[in-house]
Amino acid sequence: MQQREEKQLEAAVESLISRVAHVKNALHSFIYKLENEYERLTWPSVLDNFALLSGQLNTINKLLKNEKTPSFRNQVIIPLLLSPDRDEDLAKLTELRVPVFSHEIVPDYLRTKPDPEVEEQEKQLSVEAARIGPEVAQKQIQTLNKLCSNLLEKLNNPRDDRDSETAAIRQSKPSFNPADTNALVGAVAFGKGLSKCRPPGPVAPGHPGQGPMMSGGPTLQQVTIGGGSVQQAGMGGPVAPQQQGQPGRRPGELG
């Protein structure tokens, strides 16, 4: 009887290892496509890969729930040898994922329960869930369902929303004047519409009535006062001297 149970256990373990290997190969293939063939990868192909993985996992669940499969929960795994040295056979068996079977990694690989921190968090969540009354929980469920429904509605009708937003934008009045914009661009780029005024600075020789700028001070300005022209020196510039022997003329008045 014991030998029969051992044979059934070995057959179940071999079948489980084979199924898990299929899942691992499918995952490797899918990850390779995502990393190297993402430009040619289509959404139907992604869905096919997900469907393949889902089917393989369902097969493993059916295998574990089968009546002929012995209960793995009743089996106990005891480490017979722990060593800090590298084990080549173990590394080859685990594809270099577990090269050493030491006291440091055994609690993680042979753990049958979550970490103590995770268990404590689960207890806290259970206590908080128990504190909420049925009415409050029902209200929260209704609120969450409403939010999910609104989100799904927006995701299912994105085109209609975009079309309505585009139509609203087209119907709204523009916030700028195209004529003013074109005039501003023409003035900045081509000087269109600007008055032709000479900037201050030295003037090229050869133009009548205009001489070079005097060094050391600003140029003279000619203004008309009472029908006569008077030259006034700029701030800090030289003042024209008064001519002698000419009666009837005021100081500063030219002939």
Side-chain angles (χ1 to χ4, degrees), residues 183-197:
L184 180 60
V185 173
V188 174
F190 308 105
K192 186 177 179 181
L194 300 179
S195 60
K196 297 180 180 180
C197 58

Side-chain angles (χ1 to χ4, degrees), residues 78-94:
I78 301 176
L80 301 178
L81 178 61
L82 299 178
S83 175
D85 299 331
R86 181 182 177 88
D87 189 347
E88 297 297 336
D89 295 335
L90 181 62
K92 183 178 179 181
L93 183 64
T94 59

